[in-house]
mmCIF file of all heavy atoms in Angstrom:
data_model
loop_
_atom_site.group_PDB
_atom_site.id
_atom_site.type_symbol
_atom_site.label_atom_id
_atom_site.label_comp_id
_atom_site.label_asym_id
_atom_site.label_seq_id
_atom_site.Cartn_x
_atom_site.Cartn_y
_atom_site.Cartn_z
ATOM 1 N N GLU W 1 62.831 235.570 148.053
ATOM 2 C CA GLU W 1 63.002 235.121 149.437
ATOM 3 C C GLU W 1 61.726 235.317 150.237
ATOM 4 O O GLU W 1 61.378 234.498 151.098
ATOM 5 C CB GLU W 1 64.164 235.872 150.086
ATOM 6 C CG GLU W 1 65.526 235.524 149.513
ATOM 7 C CD GLU W 1 65.813 234.028 149.590
ATOM 8 O OE1 GLU W 1 65.602 233.439 150.673
ATOM 9 O OE2 GLU W 1 66.235 233.452 148.565
ATOM 10 N N CYS W 2 61.008 236.400 149.957
ATOM 11 C CA CYS W 2 59.718 236.638 150.600
ATOM 12 C C CYS W 2 58.731 235.537 150.228
ATOM 13 O O CYS W 2 58.027 234.994 151.087
ATOM 14 C CB CYS W 2 59.185 238.010 150.206
ATOM 15 S SG CYS W 2 57.592 238.449 150.928
ATOM 16 N N ALA W 3 58.681 235.181 148.940
ATOM 17 C CA ALA W 3 57.781 234.119 148.493
ATOM 18 C C ALA W 3 58.116 232.793 149.153
ATOM 19 O O ALA W 3 57.228 232.047 149.588
ATOM 20 C CB ALA W 3 57.861 233.987 146.977
ATOM 21 N N LYS W 4 59.400 232.478 149.260
ATOM 22 C CA LYS W 4 59.810 231.228 149.890
ATOM 23 C C LYS W 4 59.419 231.196 151.364
ATOM 24 O O LYS W 4 58.991 230.144 151.892
ATOM 25 C CB LYS W 4 61.318 231.030 149.735
ATOM 26 C CG LYS W 4 61.750 230.737 148.304
ATOM 27 C CD LYS W 4 63.256 230.576 148.207
ATOM 28 C CE LYS W 4 63.693 230.222 146.794
ATOM 29 N NZ LYS W 4 65.180 230.099 146.678
ATOM 30 N N ALA W 5 59.543 232.334 152.048
ATOM 31 C CA ALA W 5 59.138 232.397 153.458
ATOM 32 C C ALA W 5 57.634 232.167 153.605
ATOM 33 O O ALA W 5 57.185 231.448 154.508
ATOM 34 C CB ALA W 5 59.533 233.751 154.049
ATOM 35 N N LEU W 6 56.852 232.740 152.709
ATOM 36 C CA LEU W 6 55.402 232.562 152.752
ATOM 37 C C LEU W 6 55.020 231.098 152.503
ATOM 38 O O LEU W 6 54.183 230.528 153.204
ATOM 39 C CB LEU W 6 54.735 233.473 151.723
ATOM 40 C CG LEU W 6 54.878 234.982 151.954
ATOM 41 C CD1 LEU W 6 54.393 235.762 150.736
ATOM 42 C CD2 LEU W 6 54.123 235.429 153.203
ATOM 43 N N LEU W 7 55.643 230.503 151.498
ATOM 44 C CA LEU W 7 55.340 229.111 151.165
ATOM 45 C C LEU W 7 55.742 228.170 152.298
ATOM 46 O O LEU W 7 55.048 227.190 152.596
ATOM 47 C CB LEU W 7 56.037 228.723 149.863
ATOM 48 C CG LEU W 7 55.496 229.404 148.593
ATOM 49 C CD1 LEU W 7 56.453 229.182 147.416
ATOM 50 C CD2 LEU W 7 54.101 228.891 148.251
ATOM 51 N N SER W 8 56.855 228.477 152.963
ATOM 52 C CA SER W 8 57.312 227.620 154.055
ATOM 53 C C SER W 8 56.421 227.726 155.284
ATOM 54 O O SER W 8 56.463 226.854 156.158
ATOM 55 C CB SER W 8 58.754 227.973 154.434
ATOM 56 O OG SER W 8 58.819 229.255 155.037
ATOM 57 N N HIS W 9 55.610 228.791 155.344
ATOM 58 C CA HIS W 9 54.684 228.969 156.468
ATOM 59 C C HIS W 9 53.241 228.650 156.071
ATOM 60 O O HIS W 9 52.300 229.103 156.722
ATOM 61 C CB HIS W 9 54.774 230.390 157.013
ATOM 62 C CG HIS W 9 55.985 230.629 157.865
ATOM 63 N ND1 HIS W 9 57.248 230.801 157.326
ATOM 64 C CD2 HIS W 9 56.135 230.703 159.223
ATOM 65 C CE1 HIS W 9 58.112 230.986 158.307
ATOM 66 N NE2 HIS W 9 57.467 230.927 159.462
ATOM 67 N N GLY W 10 53.061 227.892 155.001
ATOM 68 C CA GLY W 10 51.749 227.346 154.694
ATOM 69 C C GLY W 10 50.969 228.011 153.599
ATOM 70 O O GLY W 10 49.830 227.608 153.319
ATOM 71 N N ALA W 11 51.531 229.017 152.923
ATOM 72 C CA ALA W 11 50.823 229.611 151.780
ATOM 73 C C ALA W 11 50.670 228.562 150.687
ATOM 74 O O ALA W 11 51.582 227.770 150.440
ATOM 75 C CB ALA W 11 51.587 230.814 151.249
ATOM 76 N N ILE W 12 49.516 228.562 150.013
ATOM 77 C CA ILE W 12 49.293 227.560 148.971
ATOM 78 C C ILE W 12 49.835 228.016 147.623
ATOM 79 O O ILE W 12 50.118 227.192 146.754
ATOM 80 C CB ILE W 12 47.791 227.211 148.849
ATOM 81 C CG1 ILE W 12 46.959 228.460 148.530
ATOM 82 C CG2 ILE W 12 47.296 226.545 150.126
ATOM 83 C CD1 ILE W 12 45.507 228.153 148.247
ATOM 84 N N ALA W 13 50.009 229.329 147.445
ATOM 85 C CA ALA W 13 50.573 229.866 146.201
ATOM 86 C C ALA W 13 50.942 231.324 146.438
ATOM 87 O O ALA W 13 50.405 231.981 147.338
ATOM 88 C CB ALA W 13 49.587 229.753 145.044
ATOM 89 N N VAL W 14 51.861 231.827 145.608
ATOM 90 C CA VAL W 14 52.296 233.221 145.706
ATOM 91 C C VAL W 14 52.386 233.812 144.298
ATOM 92 O O VAL W 14 52.935 233.184 143.386
ATOM 93 C CB VAL W 14 53.665 233.344 146.399
ATOM 94 C CG1 VAL W 14 54.085 234.816 146.478
ATOM 95 C CG2 VAL W 14 53.625 232.739 147.796
ATOM 96 N N SER W 15 51.822 235.001 144.126
ATOM 97 C CA SER W 15 52.002 235.793 142.917
ATOM 98 C C SER W 15 52.658 237.107 143.324
ATOM 99 O O SER W 15 52.881 237.363 144.513
ATOM 100 C CB SER W 15 50.659 236.038 142.214
ATOM 101 O OG SER W 15 50.118 234.826 141.723
ATOM 102 N N ALA W 16 52.997 237.937 142.357
ATOM 103 C CA ALA W 16 53.659 239.199 142.666
ATOM 104 C C ALA W 16 53.170 240.290 141.728
ATOM 105 O O ALA W 16 52.768 240.017 140.589
ATOM 106 C CB ALA W 16 55.173 239.053 142.556
ATOM 107 N N PHE W 17 53.217 241.534 142.233
ATOM 108 C CA PHE W 17 52.947 242.707 141.398
ATOM 109 C C PHE W 17 53.983 243.765 141.719
ATOM 110 O O PHE W 17 54.200 244.107 142.888
ATOM 111 C CB PHE W 17 51.556 243.282 141.646
ATOM 112 C CG PHE W 17 51.375 244.659 141.031
ATOM 113 C CD1 PHE W 17 51.281 244.806 139.658
ATOM 114 C CD2 PHE W 17 51.328 245.797 141.823
ATOM 115 C CE1 PHE W 17 51.146 246.062 139.076
ATOM 116 C CE2 PHE W 17 51.181 247.061 141.258
ATOM 117 C CZ PHE W 17 51.088 247.191 139.878
ATOM 118 N N CYS W 18 54.631 244.289 140.690
ATOM 119 C CA CYS W 18 55.548 245.416 140.834
ATOM 120 C C CYS W 18 55.189 246.472 139.798
ATOM 121 O O CYS W 18 54.952 246.149 138.632
ATOM 122 C CB CYS W 18 56.995 244.982 140.653
ATOM 123 S SG CYS W 18 57.672 244.165 142.112
ATOM 124 N N ALA W 19 55.161 247.708 140.261
ATOM 125 C CA ALA W 19 54.818 248.802 139.344
ATOM 126 C C ALA W 19 55.834 248.912 138.217
ATOM 127 O O ALA W 19 55.468 249.118 137.060
ATOM 128 C CB ALA W 19 54.731 250.107 140.116
ATOM 129 N N HIS W 20 57.115 248.787 138.559
ATOM 130 C CA HIS W 20 58.167 249.031 137.577
ATOM 131 C C HIS W 20 59.116 247.834 137.504
ATOM 132 O O HIS W 20 59.756 247.483 138.498
ATOM 133 C CB HIS W 20 58.967 250.284 137.945
ATOM 134 C CG HIS W 20 58.115 251.480 138.208
ATOM 135 N ND1 HIS W 20 57.270 252.010 137.253
ATOM 136 C CD2 HIS W 20 57.955 252.244 139.323
ATOM 137 C CE1 HIS W 20 56.644 253.056 137.763
ATOM 138 N NE2 HIS W 20 57.036 253.216 139.006
ATOM 139 N N ALA W 21 59.189 247.219 136.336
ATOM 140 C CA ALA W 21 60.145 246.142 136.096
ATOM 141 C C ALA W 21 61.444 246.755 135.592
ATOM 142 O O ALA W 21 61.487 247.329 134.504
ATOM 143 C CB ALA W 21 59.585 245.157 135.071
ATOM 144 N N ALA W 22 62.489 246.643 136.402
ATOM 145 C CA ALA W 22 63.782 247.242 136.043
ATOM 146 C C ALA W 22 64.845 246.159 135.913
ATOM 147 O O ALA W 22 65.983 246.334 136.324
ATOM 148 C CB ALA W 22 64.187 248.264 137.100
ATOM 149 N N PHE W 23 64.456 245.025 135.315
ATOM 150 C CA PHE W 23 65.357 243.888 135.199
ATOM 151 C C PHE W 23 66.568 244.207 134.319
ATOM 152 O O PHE W 23 66.405 244.696 133.192
ATOM 153 C CB PHE W 23 64.648 242.685 134.562
ATOM 154 C CG PHE W 23 63.439 242.204 135.307
ATOM 155 C CD1 PHE W 23 62.266 241.907 134.621
ATOM 156 C CD2 PHE W 23 63.472 242.024 136.673
ATOM 157 C CE1 PHE W 23 61.152 241.447 135.283
ATOM 158 C CE2 PHE W 23 62.358 241.560 137.351
ATOM 159 C CZ PHE W 23 61.192 241.268 136.661
ATOM 160 N N PRO W 24 67.781 243.881 134.774
ATOM 161 C CA PRO W 24 68.909 243.849 133.840
ATOM 162 C C PRO W 24 68.648 242.768 132.794
ATOM 163 O O PRO W 24 67.859 241.848 133.030
ATOM 164 C CB PRO W 24 70.098 243.478 134.745
ATOM 165 C CG PRO W 24 69.664 243.857 136.134
ATOM 166 C CD PRO W 24 68.186 243.614 136.164
ATOM 167 N N PRO W 25 69.288 242.858 131.628
ATOM 168 C CA PRO W 25 69.030 241.875 130.561
ATOM 169 C C PRO W 25 69.197 240.433 131.041
ATOM 170 O O PRO W 25 70.184 240.081 131.679
ATOM 171 C CB PRO W 25 70.086 242.235 129.504
ATOM 172 C CG PRO W 25 70.322 243.695 129.705
ATOM 173 C CD PRO W 25 70.228 243.916 131.186
ATOM 174 N N GLY W 26 68.196 239.619 130.734
ATOM 175 C CA GLY W 26 68.239 238.205 131.064
ATOM 176 C C GLY W 26 67.591 237.821 132.372
ATOM 177 O O GLY W 26 67.237 236.650 132.572
ATOM 178 N N VAL W 27 67.400 238.776 133.278
ATOM 179 C CA VAL W 27 66.833 238.442 134.588
ATOM 180 C C VAL W 27 65.400 237.942 134.455
ATOM 181 O O VAL W 27 64.964 237.054 135.199
ATOM 182 C CB VAL W 27 66.904 239.660 135.538
ATOM 183 C CG1 VAL W 27 66.064 239.424 136.796
ATOM 184 C CG2 VAL W 27 68.342 239.943 135.919
ATOM 185 N N GLU W 28 64.655 238.474 133.492
ATOM 186 C CA GLU W 28 63.263 238.052 133.327
ATOM 187 C C GLU W 28 63.150 236.559 133.068
ATOM 188 O O GLU W 28 62.163 235.918 133.483
ATOM 189 C CB GLU W 28 62.590 238.842 132.192
ATOM 190 C CG GLU W 28 63.186 238.631 130.812
ATOM 191 C CD GLU W 28 64.379 239.498 130.513
ATOM 192 O OE1 GLU W 28 64.838 240.251 131.410
ATOM 193 O OE2 GLU W 28 64.876 239.406 129.369
ATOM 194 N N ASN W 29 64.153 235.966 132.443
ATOM 195 C CA ASN W 29 64.121 234.529 132.154
ATOM 196 C C ASN W 29 64.157 233.685 133.421
ATOM 197 O O ASN W 29 63.650 232.563 133.438
ATOM 198 C CB ASN W 29 65.299 234.149 131.255
ATOM 199 C CG ASN W 29 65.217 234.777 129.884
ATOM 200 O OD1 ASN W 29 64.438 234.365 129.045
ATOM 201 N ND2 ASN W 29 66.021 235.804 129.653
ATOM 202 N N ARG W 30 64.726 234.228 134.472
ATOM 203 C CA ARG W 30 64.876 233.452 135.712
ATOM 204 C C ARG W 30 63.535 233.209 136.401
ATOM 205 O O ARG W 30 63.425 232.302 137.233
ATOM 206 C CB ARG W 30 65.841 234.170 136.661
ATOM 207 C CG ARG W 30 67.218 234.392 136.065
ATOM 208 C CD ARG W 30 68.128 235.170 136.995
ATOM 209 N NE ARG W 30 68.486 234.389 138.186
ATOM 210 C CZ ARG W 30 69.260 234.850 139.162
ATOM 211 N NH1 ARG W 30 69.745 236.086 139.102
ATOM 212 N NH2 ARG W 30 69.548 234.097 140.199
ATOM 213 N N PHE W 31 62.515 233.997 136.054
ATOM 214 C CA PHE W 31 61.185 233.836 136.665
ATOM 215 C C PHE W 31 60.277 232.919 135.842
ATOM 216 O O PHE W 31 59.157 232.629 136.264
ATOM 217 C CB PHE W 31 60.519 235.199 136.832
ATOM 218 C CG PHE W 31 61.239 236.107 137.792
ATOM 219 C CD1 PHE W 31 62.157 237.040 137.323
ATOM 220 C CD2 PHE W 31 61.013 236.011 139.155
ATOM 221 C CE1 PHE W 31 62.838 237.864 138.204
ATOM 222 C CE2 PHE W 31 61.690 236.829 140.036
ATOM 223 C CZ PHE W 31 62.605 237.760 139.568
ATOM 224 N N CYS W 32 60.757 232.475 134.697
ATOM 225 C CA CYS W 32 59.959 231.602 133.833
ATOM 226 C C CYS W 32 60.137 230.137 134.227
ATOM 227 O O CYS W 32 60.992 229.794 135.054
ATOM 228 C CB CYS W 32 60.366 231.797 132.371
ATOM 229 S SG CYS W 32 60.062 233.464 131.761
ATOM 230 N N GLN W 33 59.336 229.264 133.648
ATOM 231 C CA GLN W 33 59.452 227.842 133.926
ATOM 232 C C GLN W 33 60.874 227.366 133.635
ATOM 233 O O GLN W 33 61.435 227.661 132.592
ATOM 234 C CB GLN W 33 58.456 227.053 133.076
ATOM 235 C CG GLN W 33 57.001 227.263 133.476
ATOM 236 C CD GLN W 33 56.070 226.341 132.719
ATOM 237 O OE1 GLN W 33 56.468 225.279 132.266
ATOM 238 N NE2 GLN W 33 54.804 226.745 132.591
ATOM 239 N N GLY W 34 61.435 226.642 134.592
ATOM 240 C CA GLY W 34 62.803 226.168 134.465
ATOM 241 C C GLY W 34 63.832 227.117 135.027
ATOM 242 O O GLY W 34 64.991 226.740 135.194
ATOM 243 N N GLY W 35 63.409 228.355 135.348
ATOM 244 C CA GLY W 35 64.331 229.327 135.926
ATOM 245 C C GLY W 35 64.508 229.116 137.415
ATOM 246 O O GLY W 35 63.652 228.540 138.089
#
């Protein structure tokens, strides 16, 4: 939602960094192409 807000206000691209990935199984797929 943060990325979408940035893009809607004129950002040309958004990346992310998180120290700890605590994804439940399968959540990582949602960030890939087609997710």
Side-chain angles (χ1 to χ4, degrees):
E1 292 304 312
C2 180
K4 290 179 178 178
L6 295 170
L7 291 168
S8 69
H9 283 76
I12 58 174
V14 180
S15 294
F17 167 71
C18 282
H20 309 300
F23 301 135
V27 168
E28 63 276 4
N29 295 285
R30 301 177 68 181
F31 295 95
C32 297
Q33 291 187 25

